[in-house]
Amino acid sequence: MLKEMIISGAHLLEKNKSIVDDLNVFPVPDGDTGTNMSLTMQSAMKEVKAVNNDDIEEIAEAAANGSLMGARGNSGVILSQLLRGFAKGVKGKETLNTEDLANALKLGADTAYKAVMKPVEGTILTVARESAEYAVKIAKKETDIEDFLEKVIYQGENTLKRTPDMLAVLKEAGVVDSGGKGLIYIYLGILGALKGEMLSSEDLDIMQKTVEHDHDMHVSGDIEFAYCTEFIINTEGADPEAFREEIKDQGDSMLVVGNENLIKVHLHTNHPGAVMEKAMALGELSDIKIDNMRVQFKDKHPEKEAEEEKDFGFITVSIGDGIEKIFKDFNVDHVIKGGQTMNPSTEDFMKAIEDIHAKNIYILPNNSNIIMAANQAKELSKKNVMVIPTKTIPQGITAMIGFNPGNSPEENLQEMTEIMEDIETGQVTYAVRDTVVNDKKIKKGNILGIGNGKIQAVGKNAEKVSLELLDSLITEEHEIITLFYGAEVDEKSAEKLQGKIEKAYPDCEVEVYYGGQPLYYYLFSVE
């Protein structure tokens, strides 16, 4: 039943993700909370369906582990922590009553709050916390699980309705919190399964196919450890951290996660047999998968020669062939395609980290909604990974300009972080719905000028909105204005705008580059 509840929760969110996406505070075409949460839940669902027994602890742990690796965006990372805490809460349980569920929900909320540096009320965190606190309050009296969950969800919906009173930006935009709404859909799906309102097996099979993808190897030519080794240890009373310590000298790219009954192992090693011998001392092995990466690499990249480990490597996130080329010109090793509407997962970052043969690796997320996933990958990796908290493409490019190969890793981290904070960023896009933001009435299709997180200009002409936006950003101290034009803008239009900017700001140098980014007509960097 727990399996069915998790799967049903994932499905109902997938079915309604566009509704959650549309609750984005800004009416721009990149509201992606629902998509991020759905992809995170689908990853959890995939792991849950792979569990071949009805052990509650193992099922919950599978959901937690799957969501951890599939977490996308801040909402996805928070959701993965809710599931992680829930899994801790059901440890050792063979069945769950209302008190068990209440305590697990409360531990999930507590875990999620701890994972966020500065928790903000009026978000998914508040919906999770208040519904969990109410669950604990009624659990002893309310022993029927269906009735119990109905009341918990009702409390969650009441909290969701109050989120605009907690966050002014929600109230002004006339929306409730999108992450909280997504959580309610998951809860409703869970309740539906409990009531026997499950989806057909055909529906579930179709959904499962949407999350399956090929495992593409990301390895460099100089492969120290040849065998990509994965397996699950079915055990009792084992300690994943203790086993991780036991095999730490056997290879690299190691992930050992699990609980007392299940340990999932991934590592690159030259002696998979030796590792599995140690594992067999703990229990039976299943889902064994061993790939020779040297053979795979030669098949895919016969021309590539072995490369020496370098001092520094870089990972960045962007979309648009022009912007990608700019980052490549700055010697960025791995550009993950993504950003607005398409937030990379923790696993995407892990694969990119694995791909880079460097002593020190910097990640530039270039989007505030991607920073948490980048930091989660940093914590999981054994390599020396540092995250530069860039929130925009211009900040990412500026941070790369600030890199000095002669500095120490720590000095570069400090310098790159400081220099990117001096950049003013402007974005020009369009509205996807009618709303009111910052006392500005916005109609669907209006052109929006966004500066440093606020809508500064609204109009019907991208050029006029751009000039009004820049007027809100530029001061007498600024010297350089950089314009990146998107996929929907031609070069002549960009050059025409450049001329008007030069005329309006004769003391500033104006540079124009093709970005090729979708959805955003122009990106501006002011320094």
Side-chain angles (χ1 to χ4, degrees), residues 111 141 154 161 207 227 239 257 290 327 358 397 431 434 462 472:
T111 303
K141 292 182 179 179
Y154 184 72
K161 290 176 184 176
M207 183 182 174
Y227 299 98
D239 183 349
V257 295
I290 302 174
F327 277 120
I397 292 172
D434 296 349
S472 72

Side-chain angles (χ1 to χ4, degrees), residues 172 436-441:
E172 188 175 31
V436 177
V437 179
N438 297 337
D439 295 325
K440 290 181 170 64
K441 291 184 179 179

